[in-house]
Amino acid sequence: MKKDIVSMLPEELEADFVQLNEPKYRAAQVFRWLGRGVRDFEAMSDLPKSLREKLKESYEIYAPKVLRKQVSAIDGTIKYLWELRDRQAVETVVMSYQHGNTVCVSSQVGCRQGCAFCASTIGGLVRNLTPSEILDEVIFSQLDSGKEISNIVLMGIGEPLDNFDNVMRFLTLVNHPQGMNIGMRHISLSTCGITERFDDLAARDLQLTLSVSLHAPDDETRSKLMPANRGRGVRQLVKCCREYYEKTGRRISFEYAMIDGVNDTAYHAKLLADIAREVSAHVNLIPLNHVEERPFQPSTQGHMKAFIKILEEQQVNVTVRRRLGSDVDASCGQLRRKRERSAQQAAAQSEGLS
Ligand code: SAH
């Protein structure tokens, strides 16, 4: 089987090149080509032909194809649907802020976590993304959009901590000085709260920001919205967040999608304030993005204002995330869902015809 070369680190390439009787410095050359998005060995013009032939024999190389690209008329947000080598599809979003361009990447095809408001999880988990597939979301979004990417959020389709090893390798690749060279402080990893992995993550001693999708401060509401809470519970989550903060010195950020009549009352705000203070966390409020298959609606402006007021009175550090790309299905998983729905409709129609 051919190796996935884009997932390899320079030192691993070096070890291989020694086996192939090639000088070590060739590995650094190849790694730089790969980091620039070159996905054809023939285009690596400073390599001798004999080496290019060897590379073709030993390694697999692939460039994701743009299946769909939508550009928001409101704020320029770009949403990509990529086709992977096995014809599965994942989404990437490029958002422009004053401080630079942020790419939101997927870490899995589908998701097994089953959050009740989320579009990505509807068909369950199909498979993990490889390190190269996650990296290519960043590289090819930058190449296609012409926007230099300065920040990365792992907030697309999938649960990054359910694909731990591949996500860690992606981080090493994207952070590499001879690659994209994106600093860890410019990267956020978002989790629904897979607390068993917090220690492993803290042990890597990365300078990234851990975002925890809290969405409710009490077990009753949270377990209804997020199956990951069942069997873990808010208390355990809070304890693990606190420990993570103590070990890494990195403040956690709580994501909180405001859902009308579900998690947006004064009761929820007060409990959330207690938890945020206990963990020294920053709270990021997001008005829920309505998903067609889901019964939930975003909170009203009035409810959001009252909620924010309570948090601020309790000295909680809170921001409201601007909604970007609302006209391009920018909420995670929606574009992939659309493609699946139309495939199902086409299948149903052809069955009806036969
Ligand atoms: N699995 C990870 C990362 C992917 S989701 C996690 O759960 O954090 C990225 C963020 O979008 C999470 O905070 C998730 O809860 C949130 N999200 C999912 N569906 C949403 C929706 N319809 N509206 C607003 N936020 C949503």
Side-chain angles (χ1 to χ4, degrees), residues 104-280:
C104 173
V105 298
S106 298
S107 56
Q108 296 181 306
V109 182
C111 181
R112 68 187 181 97
Q113 293 300 338
C115 295
F117 46 83
C118 179
S120 304
T121 194
I122 291 169
L125 175 68
V126 177
R127 68 171 175 84
N128 284 329
L129 290 183
T130 61
S132 61
E133 286 170 333
I134 310 174
L135 181 69
D136 277 353
E137 291 182 65
V138 183
I139 295 179
F140 285 89
S141 296
Q142 174 168 297
L143 283 176
D144 185 89
S145 68
K147 294 181 183 219
E148 193 181 338
I149 304 295
S150 48
N151 297 279
I152 302 175
V153 295
L154 280 146
M155 291 190 184
I157 300 171
E159 168 48 52
L161 297 187
D162 276 344
N163 186 17
F164 191 84
D165 293 343
N166 287 354
V167 166
M168 291 305 120
R169 181 174 276 265
F170 154 70
L171 291 173
T172 310
L173 288 166
V174 84
N175 177 238
H176 201 285
Q178 261 86 55
M180 294 283 286
N181 197 16
I182 295 182
M184 285 292 174
R185 285 173 185 269
H186 297 267
I187 302 179
S188 294
L189 185 154
S190 182
T191 176
C192 63
I194 308 300
T195 46
E196 303 86 301
R197 284 299 197 173
F198 282 25
D199 276 349
D200 298 331
L201 187 64
R204 304 265 166 161
D205 203 19
L206 305 171
Q207 297 293 303
L208 54 71
T209 300
L210 179 61
S211 289
V212 172
S213 302
L214 188 63
H215 303 320
D218 61 301
D219 281 327
E220 198 194 336
T221 317
R222 194 164 193 271
S223 290
K224 267 188 217 151
L225 292 174
M226 305 177 71
N229 193 61
R230 302 172 199 157
R232 291 191 179 94
V234 172
R235 276 331 300 170
Q236 182 181 323
L237 180 59
V238 169
K239 178 173 162 277
C240 294
C241 287
R242 175 91 220 152
E243 286 169 5
Y244 182 89
Y245 175 51
E246 279 162 7
K247 276 185 200 151
T248 61
R250 303 282 303 161
R251 228 175 257 276
I252 284 179
S253 159
F254 283 140
E255 302 292 309
Y256 199 101
M258 301 279 299
I259 312 176
D260 188 39
V262 175
N263 63 358
D264 62 350
T265 67
Y267 164 78
H268 294 106
K270 284 179 195 140
L271 280 181
L272 171 59
D274 289 344
I275 292 178
R277 281 210 315 258
E278 196 177 336
V279 180
S280 304

Side-chain angles (χ1 to χ4, degrees), residues 258 282-287 304 308 312 318-323:
M258 301 279 299
H282 176 100
V283 174
N284 216 338
L285 298 177
I286 322 143
M304 283 196 71
I308 294 165
E312 283 176 343
V318 53
T319 47
V320 180
R321 203 194 292 161
R322 221 160 33 107
R323 273 185 78 182

